Amino acid sequence: MAVVGRGRNGPRWGDALRSGSLGTALLFLAPALVAVVILRIWPAGLALWQSLHEPAAAPGFANLGFGNYTYLLSDPVFIESLTTTFLFLIIVNPVQIGLALLLALAMDKALPAAGLWRTLMLLPVAVPQSVSAIILGVAFRPDGPVNALLATIGIPPQGFMTSTNQALITIIMIVSWVGVGYWMTFLLAGLRDIPPILYEAAEIDGANGWQRFWHVTLPQLRRTLTFVLVANTVANFLVFAPVQILTKGGPQGSTNLIMNEIYTRGFLSGDMSGAAAATVILVALVIVVVGIQFRMMTERAKS
Amino acid sequence: MKANSPWLRFTFVVACCIVVMLPLWWAAASALRPSDEVFRYLSPISIWTLIPREWTLSNFIALSQGPFARAMINSALVTTLTVVIGLVVCATAAFALAVLEYPGRSVIFAIMVVSFLIPFDSIAVPLSELFRSLELQNSYAGLILPGIGNGLAVFMLRQFFMAIPKELSEAAKIDGLGWGGIFLRIYLPLSRPALIGAGLILFVFQWQAYLWPLLIAPNPDYHVASVAIASFAGQYDVDYGQMFGGAVVTALLPMAILLIFQRYFIASLASSGSKE
């Protein structure tokens, strides 16, 4: 995509000013530009400014400059929330995308009542995360129905959210309940776009099902898969409702994902400058991921 | 792997659907039984775990008389206004980015989409400070404003507008129609499916919002449904029947809307993601 000068045929500043098209365009763009500035750029800038200009909450750190960052990065609670977030991402992304891909593959070919199953899988997308957290939170209570179900097949009751080892996995199951159907929809659309002739050619060459998947489906689906991975990573960076409602980051910090850490720091501990520095770190991480995503979107638009 | 075992595929798909639907079913069943029976039919598990033995609407009646009713009205109001205002903001921007020609258009497009792609929740905490200093806490404006600009909706509408032949607007211009008229009389009527898709994106975003309403509207008078639901869980003495009742109501409305407009939602996802 040509970004600045649009070459000979593109409109010039002089022409645009004379014909008044620049004014018209600004008029149409104004509401969205105001929204972008006030709702995205300003708060991001505010967090950056605050993190550099307000003193750190703990003594012994520089008042200006990177004091908040050195304080944050030396705080074991914050470091643990970062490692927990990365652990969470490393597990949740493959689980969700793997299941979504399996489902999309299973639904891609003719299936009785195909529309019904696709709709059922997509429906939880409409359910607010706080609601799915409430419902599944009760389901995963030690005296709840999941343990009752496990008991019928002879598995002893599990601690789930009350256990330091199982709490993060439980949060992963709760967010995947919505996520899998959502990403399946993208992958299904991607599968439908693969020209059937490629499969026919592979079949003529004697490729078996696995080889067709490996040599036709996967390469053809690469863009969709990458998009889903990137978008899913961004979404999972920001998981908050199930943590805040169900575990508050516990037990023993085992589910303290970064959004919960920022919220706790800023609103419960009153460390706004630390929360601002943590926000800057989060936004920086997200911008890297979004940058990849945007590159892919514009590449797609080009092709 | 796929073709040779249709039964395996079918079983897998149906099993996934059951796993997805069971919690909702159980929540609905629990909402329809007396509150003290929510945990009663769990062990041993029987058909009565999933079907209320004694049916009652008492949970819903209690909800309609309590603060939850107010939260539902708030949610409906906030979401409706978000969709209406958001469509105006996003459609005008998309029009300016797809149809109007001026220098620097692609730069503005890049800035707009990239900034909107920064997920709202990641800057919610500093933004809530800004809103507080503008005295927007505990107000409908404070709840609605963050939902109106949506990069995905802008991107999707732009793609749709770009596919509309330029000849149409050129002909209209010769007939003396200005850009405003071209937008209102040609582009908007032709874009109904894209507008529905964008409306759904705005709707789902606002209906699901949790962190922002929690930060900006702590006053129960301004609670939206997603926050009111969570406050059940925080109560010392939880009324599980009412909690499930509220969860079911909060889940059903968007589900019904999604069911009706499903194909537009899927089309909007597809155009924003996998396809051009």
Side-chain angles (χ1 to χ4, degrees):
Chain A
M1 182 188 277
V3 177
V4 193
R6 294 193 56 210
R8 264 158 221 271
N9 303 322
R12 307 289 182 94
W13 285 101
D15 300 343
L17 285 172
R18 261 192 304 280
S19 69
S21 68
L22 196 65
T24 314
L26 275 178
L27 215 60
F28 273 93
L29 280 171
L33 281 178
V34 170
V36 159
V37 171
I38 295 181
L39 301 171
R40 293 296 196 285
I41 298 173
W42 185 276
L46 186 71
L48 186 63
W49 192 89
Q50 244 184 348
S51 71
L52 295 173
H53 287 84
E54 285 179 19
F61 293 93
N63 273 348
L64 296 177
F66 294 101
N68 277 304
Y69 293 93
T70 46
Y71 161 54
L72 261 192
L73 296 173
S74 66
D75 182 352
V77 175
F78 181 74
I79 296 296
E80 206 194 333
S81 85
L82 273 188
T83 49
T84 306
T85 305
F86 282 112
L87 180 68
F88 173 75
L89 290 175
I90 286 170
I91 304 172
V92 77
N93 287 319
V95 165
Q96 289 187 351
I97 296 168
L99 267 174
L101 180 60
L102 269 180
L103 261 169
L105 286 170
M107 287 195 185
D108 186 35
K109 296 245 169 122
L111 211 63
L116 173 69
W117 312 121
R118 203 185 51 225
T119 306
L120 286 183
M121 283 309 296
L122 187 64
L123 271 186
V125 171
V127 181
Q129 257 196 354
S130 63
V131 173
S132 64
I134 289 287
I135 295 175
L136 294 174
V138 180
F140 280 111
R141 268 169 46 143
D143 60 346
V146 176
N147 265 335
L149 201 65
L150 290 179
T152 60
I153 51 172
I155 297 176
Q158 306 292 313
F160 295 121
M161 272 160 327
T162 60
S163 145
T164 37
N165 294 325
Q166 293 176 356
L168 193 64
I169 295 289
T170 312
I171 297 286
I172 286 171
M173 289 194 270
I174 290 172
V175 296
S176 301
W177 183 62
V178 173
V180 170
Y182 186 66
W183 302 118
M184 178 207 78
T185 309
F186 288 84
L187 294 170
L188 200 54
L191 285 175
R192 298 261 153 96
D193 274 354
I194 301 177
I197 194 153
L198 293 178
Y199 286 109
E200 286 158 24
E203 215 151 342
I204 291 167
D205 291 342
N208 63 29
W210 179 250
Q211 287 167 327
R212 282 201 298 271
F213 173 72
W214 198 251
H215 295 291
V216 180
T217 311
L218 267 192
Q220 290 287 319
L221 203 59
R222 208 191 69 230
R223 275 189 176 169
T224 314
L225 264 176
T226 323
F227 169 81
V228 166
L229 175 65
V230 170
N232 195 21
T233 308
V234 171
N236 285 321
F237 255 121
L238 302 165
V239 166
F240 174 70
V243 174
Q244 194 262 341
I245 295 169
L246 297 174
T247 65
K248 313 252 183 252
Q252 288 166 38
S254 61
T255 60
N256 191 22
L257 299 177
I258 186 156
M259 268 320 299
N260 188 64
E261 168 65 17
I262 292 174
Y263 174 79
T264 314
R265 200 169 274 275
F267 283 87
L268 303 181
S269 319
D271 175 11
M272 284 314 287
S273 55
T279 300
V280 172
I281 293 175
L282 172 66
V283 171
L285 289 170
V286 167
I287 282 179
V288 171
V289 180
V290 166
I292 301 171
Q293 185 175 351
F294 186 70
R295 269 198 92 97
M296 289 168 43
M297 268 165 56
T298 46
E299 256 172 45
R300 236 193 322 272
K302 231 183 347 186
S303 64
Chain B
M1 187 183 100
K2 309 179 287 173
N4 19 4
S5 51
W7 277 110
L8 190 68
R9 286 196 296 127
F10 188 67
T11 317
F12 176 64
V13 169
V14 174
C16 286
C17 287
I18 291 175
V19 169
V20 162
M21 293 320 287
L22 257 184
L24 281 177
W25 181 281
W26 178 66
S30 299
L32 288 166
R33 54 170 58 119
S35 208
D36 53 356
E37 290 194 3
V38 168
F39 286 95
R40 196 165 147 198
Y41 299 101
L42 286 181
S43 57
I45 275 198
S46 70
I47 187 74
W48 304 118
T49 314
L50 290 176
I51 297 172
R53 203 156 201 175
E54 191 189 324
W55 293 71
T56 173
L57 288 175
S58 60
N59 293 318
F60 293 100
I61 293 166
L63 278 176
S64 70
Q65 290 158 351
F68 185 77
R70 166 105 201 205
M72 277 305 286
I73 294 170
N74 285 344
S75 264
L77 184 74
V78 165
T79 310
T80 310
L81 285 171
T82 303
V83 171
V84 173
I85 302 170
L87 277 180
V88 174
V89 172
C90 294
T92 48
F95 184 73
L97 294 169
V99 183
L100 300 175
E101 299 211 345
Y102 45 91
R105 182 172 81 167
S106 41
V107 180
I108 294 182
F109 174 65
I111 293 173
M112 196 111 93
V113 174
V114 170
S115 344
F116 272 141
L117 279 178
I118 296 172
F120 175 71
D121 279 5
S122 64
I123 43 91
V125 171
L127 185 65
S128 70
E129 280 187 84
L130 179 68
F131 269 48
R132 254 170 246 270
S133 63
L134 298 171
E135 301 275 327
L136 284 170
Q137 75 272 33
N138 294 318
S139 74
Y140 290 115
L143 286 166
I144 292 165
L145 280 172
I148 59 171
N150 189 303
L152 212 59
V154 173
F155 186 76
M156 198 197 120
L157 287 167
R158 174 183 170 267
Q159 299 288 91
F160 200 91
F161 289 163
M162 289 206 306
I164 294 175
K166 287 249 192 264
E167 287 78 17
L168 281 176
S169 56
E170 274 156 21
K173 232 194 286 184
I174 291 166
D175 290 346
L177 211 57
W179 282 118
I182 292 171
F183 173 66
L184 287 175
R185 299 222 202 135
I186 297 178
Y187 276 79
L188 286 191
L190 285 175
S191 309
R192 195 171 295 164
L195 288 170
I196 294 175
L200 279 173
I201 292 174
L202 293 163
F203 169 80
V204 169
F205 174 88
Q206 189 61 275
W207 192 265
Q208 295 211 338
Y210 176 74
L211 173 61
W212 179 255
L214 190 70
L215 294 175
I216 204 65
N219 182 335
D221 283 351
Y222 291 93
H223 272 182
V224 292
S226 64
V227 172
I229 282 289
S231 68
F232 274 113
Q235 283 163 18
Y236 172 65
D237 196 10
V238 189
D239 186 319
Y240 284 100
Q242 283 193 38
M243 189 172 103
F244 280 121
V248 167
V249 173
T250 314
L252 278 185
L253 183 73
M255 276 185 160
I257 290 174
L258 198 65
L259 265 183
I260 298 168
F261 295 111
Q262 210 207 122
R263 61 197 179 96
Y264 299 104
F265 189 69
I266 290 178
S268 62
L269 292 186
S271 67
S272 63
S274 57
K275 280 187 266 181
E276 200 239 322

